[in-house]
Amino acid sequence: MPRLDDRLKAVARQIRCGTHADIGSDHGHLLVALLKSGRIRRGIAIENKPQPLENSSRSLRGLNAEVRFADGFAGLSVGEVDSASLCGLGGETIVRILDAFPDRVPDRVVLQPNRRPEWVRRWAIRSGFHLMDEQIARGHWDYPVLSFQRLGSITDPAYGGLDHEAALLFGPLLMKRMPRLVHDRLAEERLYLRKLQRLGPESAARLRVIERVLSAAPAAERS
Ligand SMILES: C[S@@+](CC[C@H](N)C(=O)[O-])C[C@H]1O[C@@H](n2cnc3c(N)ncnc32)[C@H](O)[C@@H]1O
């Protein structure tokens, strides 16, 4: 059994189904852990580079899994899997992969962007996916782990009553819970941005949002 780091453990906790595809599987450890723990019956690893493909093949040998060389969902057919994960990639890349074959994306997806999670949240809103769970896993950085379910065109209630810009950047469910970790990270980022002599337009906008969030945030859960 491979030892998953906290990031992939948080992802694994969100997955339980018949057939699961891990896009960008690299070492293949997520699928190995899901198969060995019985959380899935069958796994499909998708890779678009030779060395990671070989890594996945080696890790998954002897298990109920297939390893495919493909660009994202090009390696799957419609309805082939119950759920899919994309982990350890930037938000822009995750969205590009999801948008390339929208009809092949299963109803349940677990997405772990390393940066720009707001891209993933925007994709979900325009694609009819609702945010079911949102965690922060600690590691080299703080990693958001986002679970979505396709529910069609109705508005995602997760965003109700929130500052929309802040919810897109920092997560609607996290904004409602405001765990200590998120509160403290926002306070650290505010301090850092306030000290900068010159802010570009994106950083200035981000600082404005952080100021708004922190002035309204009770840091309720504090865990
Ligand atoms: C940083 S690694 C992350 C590995 C693993 N998912 C994790 O989170 O530990 C990203 C992997 O995604 C693969 N990848 C990137 N774009 C891809 C695409 N369009 N289709 C399939 N695999 C892709 C890369 O080859 C690489 O192995």
Side-chain angles (χ1 to χ4, degrees), residues 7-8 24 26-27 47-49 52 70-72 87-89 96-97:
R7 175 181 66 87
L8 287 180
D26 192 1
H27 40 71
E47 256 301 334
N48 71 348
K49 290 175 199 75
D71 179 358
C87 308
L89 296 155
R96 186 189 59 73
I97 292 172

Side-chain angles (χ1 to χ4, degrees), residues 86-87 89-99 111-113 120:
L86 288 111
C87 308
L89 296 155
E92 301 98 317
T93 304
I94 290 178
V95 168
R96 186 189 59 73
I97 292 172
L98 291 162
D99 275 340
L111 306 175
Q112 185 272 295
V120 169

Side-chain angles (χ1 to χ4, degrees), residues 121 131-132 134 155-164 166-168 170-180 182-183 186 213 216-223:
R121 296 192 183 98
L131 187 61
M132 309 310 283
E134 186 170 52
T155 309
D156 186 346
Y159 291 86
L162 289 175
D163 176 331
H164 194 68
L168 280 175
F170 306 118
L173 303 180
L174 291 168
M175 287 297 92
K176 282 177 186 162
R177 291 208 309 270
M178 192 50 85
R180 176 185 290 278
V182 172
H183 188 277
L186 289 175
V213 169
E221 187 181 282
R222 298 307 218 145
S223 59

Side-chain angles (χ1 to χ4, degrees), residues 5 17 25 27-29 37 47-48 50 52-53 65 71 83 100 104 114 128 155 157-158 174 197 201 211 219:
D5 57 15
C17 70
S25 53
H27 40 71
H29 292 169
S37 61
E47 256 301 334
N48 71 348
L53 185 84
D71 179 358
S83 60
R104 301 186 194 187
N114 281 354
T155 309
L174 291 168
Q197 300 289 331
E211 300 278 14

